[in-house]
Amino acid sequence: MADGNNALNATLQNESTLTQIASKHNILPQNLVNWKNIFLANAEIAVESSKAVKEYKEGSVMVQST
């Protein structure tokens, strides 16, 4: 998966076109698009992990209570 991480990093940094990055890392361009969208949708977890953990724990408590 290290190659996938390198490809995602290159995609996020706009180092080349998606097609060029995908070809270099032997990955389908659509996979890069999907990974980028997933990463960006969950970026808050990476940036503010304590807030994400707190919200997760609060959600777990609510689920266990019901």
Side-chain angles (χ1 to χ4, degrees):
M1 186 63 185
D3 207 37
N5 289 337
N6 292 337
L8 178 58
N9 286 334
T11 302
L12 291 169
Q13 295 173 9
N14 294 318
E15 291 179 2
S16 302
T17 67
L18 283 174
T19 304
Q20 291 170 329
I21 296 168
S23 177
K24 178 180 177 183
H25 295 279
N26 198 28
I27 298 170
L28 294 173
Q30 187 58 49
N31 286 350
L32 287 175
V33 171
N34 293 342
W35 295 344
K36 181 178 179 180
N37 289 339
I38 291 167
F39 177 83
L40 293 175
N42 293 291
E44 180 182 14
I45 295 169
V47 176
E48 296 184 40
S49 59
S50 61
K51 179 181 175 186
V53 169
K54 180 182 175 191
E55 289 174 0
Y56 173 79
K57 287 180 179 179
E58 288 173 353
S60 294
V61 170
M62 293 180 91
V63 169
Q64 290 175 359
S65 299
T66 57

